[in-house]
Amino acid sequence: MRLTVNGERREADVWGGTSLLTLLRDDFHLLGTKNACEQGECGSCSVWLDGEMVCACLVLAAQAHGRDVRTVEGMAAPESMHPVQRAFIDAGAVQCGFCTPGLVVAVADLLQRDLRPSDAVIREQLSGNLCRCTGYQKILDAVHLAASRTQQGGAGRPAPPGDTPLGDPTSRQDSQ
Ligand code: FES
Ligand code: FES
């Protein structure tokens, strides 16, 4: 199978039952996408597939053939963290950190659509992300911090997940 991951064209041989989560972690060594439940319950494996946030544990790797996958590793620029990542650190929203990549993806996904989310909207967006450590208040603080910084332009607008230098992944498939 062929796909694009974080803007890079990748190939892999996969067994039909292999999940996208296993492909990302075991074949491509993208360990920021966490494996906690493999049942779609915790959100720690959240990635974008053609710009739509999904639980990678619930998607077959084969379903990503010819498509564009973006993981948490694809969010930050080489020289700087993504503003959501920076806000999580500054707000003290990271403890053990196991849930953090999935939360960062979910928050960035929200802020693409809504730069002034209410607590209720944030809670709804993050309802599929479980954290055993923080009690969630600092996560809410981090979301508001990232949103306000982005509104002010100080930390840059969260990058669109499908914004790869290779353009439209569906047209890419035919050219390989
Ligand atoms: S590992 Fe995918 S939702 Fe928990
Ligand atoms: S920071 Fe430990 S599970 Fe969320």
Side-chain angles (χ1 to χ4, degrees), residues 137-174:
Q137 183 56 52
K138 290 186 183 298
I139 293 170
L140 279 173
D141 295 344
V143 179
H144 289 301
L145 182 60
S148 72
R149 285 176 174 174
T150 305
Q151 289 164 31
Q152 294 163 13
R157 186 177 178 81
D163 184 19
T164 74
L166 299 176
D168 179 4
T170 54
S171 62
R172 203 170 305 133
Q173 180 184 355
D174 297 334

Side-chain angles (χ1 to χ4, degrees), residues 29-60:
H29 309 296
L30 292 168
L31 303 181
T33 305
K34 301 300 185 191
N35 181 358
C37 73
E38 289 192 281
Q39 296 181 358
E41 300 287 345
C42 74
S44 61
C45 65
S46 298
V47 299
W48 288 283
L49 181 61
D50 285 346
E52 180 183 353
M53 194 176 68
V54 297
C55 291
C57 68
L58 297 182
V59 176
L60 291 174

Side-chain angles (χ1 to χ4, degrees), residues 93-100 103 130-134 139:
V94 180
Q95 289 191 22
C96 83
F98 198 87
C99 67
T100 306
L103 279 161
L130 300 184
C131 174
R132 290 178 177 269
C133 303
T134 64
I139 293 170

Side-chain angles (χ1 to χ4, degrees), residues 86-111:
R86 182 79 257 167
F88 266 68
I89 292 172
D90 292 347
V94 180
Q95 289 191 22
C96 83
F98 198 87
C99 67
T100 306
L103 279 161
V104 164
V105 168
V107 171
D109 186 75
L110 170 65
L111 296 185

Side-chain angles (χ1 to χ4, degrees), residues 1-11 20 23-24 28 30 33 47-48 64 67-74 164-166 169 172:
M1 62 174 290
R2 295 172 177 166
L3 70 166
T4 302
V5 181
N6 297 331
E8 292 184 20
R9 297 175 185 178
R10 308 293 294 258
E11 295 185 6
L20 177 59
L23 175 69
L24 292 171
F28 299 155
L30 292 168
T33 305
V47 299
W48 288 283
R67 300 174 73 181
D68 183 82
V69 175
R70 184 155 292 243
T71 71
V72 69
E73 288 91 346
T164 74
L166 299 176
R172 203 170 305 133

